[in-house]
Amino acid sequence: MSAPLGIDHVQLAMPEGGEDRARAFYTALLGMRKVAKPSNLSPAGCWFECGALQLHLGVDPDFRPARKAHPALLVADLAEFRARLAQAGAIVREDKPIAGYHRCFTEDPFGNRIELMQKL
């Protein structure tokens, strides 16, 4: 029996008209780059990538932020991310420790939960 090979991308929802705020957060604060969506898809929303990581934000007319479900992004220097987020006024929350990692949570401009993790 075959099994999945990996994750191609993670999609989060955002409200209509949030593209500028998404670009500011995911590029300036998280260091990802915006990539073009395929032309046959709706122009609404944004796609971002960093190496093999792809994160898509799609517009949901009945948007509700993901407060529990979340992507966990591996970073090389969590302290740098914490400082950058705090300086920008973004939420930075600590949580229970997990062996082998330093980690924290933040939220994108729409309230979607994002975990940042650094392997020890």
Side-chain angles (χ1 to χ4, degrees), residues 1-113:
M1 176 172 77
S2 294
L5 300 173
I7 293 176
D8 181 76
H9 68 275
V10 172
Q11 177 150 338
L12 296 172
M14 70 178 189
E16 187 175 337
E19 287 84 358
D20 288 343
R21 291 185 293 156
R23 281 189 287 275
F25 180 81
Y26 287 97
T27 61
L29 290 181
L30 294 189
M32 301 180 80
R33 73 180 182 93
K34 184 182 176 302
V35 294
K37 291 174 58 176
S39 60
N40 62 320
L41 298 180
S42 166
C46 305
W47 287 15
F48 302 94
E49 71 178 18
C50 184
L53 170 65
Q54 290 190 35
L55 191 69
H56 300 174
L57 274 87
V59 171
D60 184 345
D62 296 321
F63 173 74
R64 287 181 194 86
R67 301 245 183 242
K68 183 68 174 171
H70 63 277
L73 308 178
L74 286 173
V75 300
D77 186 348
L78 186 61
E80 176 192 343
F81 276 88
R82 280 185 175 129
R84 190 183 322 158
L85 291 162
Q87 184 176 15
I91 291 169
V92 178
R93 282 191 310 275
E94 303 302 318
D95 204 79
K96 295 176 185 170
I98 293 180
Y101 293 92
H102 287 307
R103 69 187 192 127
C104 68
F105 288 92
T106 190
E107 293 179 2
D108 73 5
F110 319 111
N112 291 314
R113 185 179 192 193

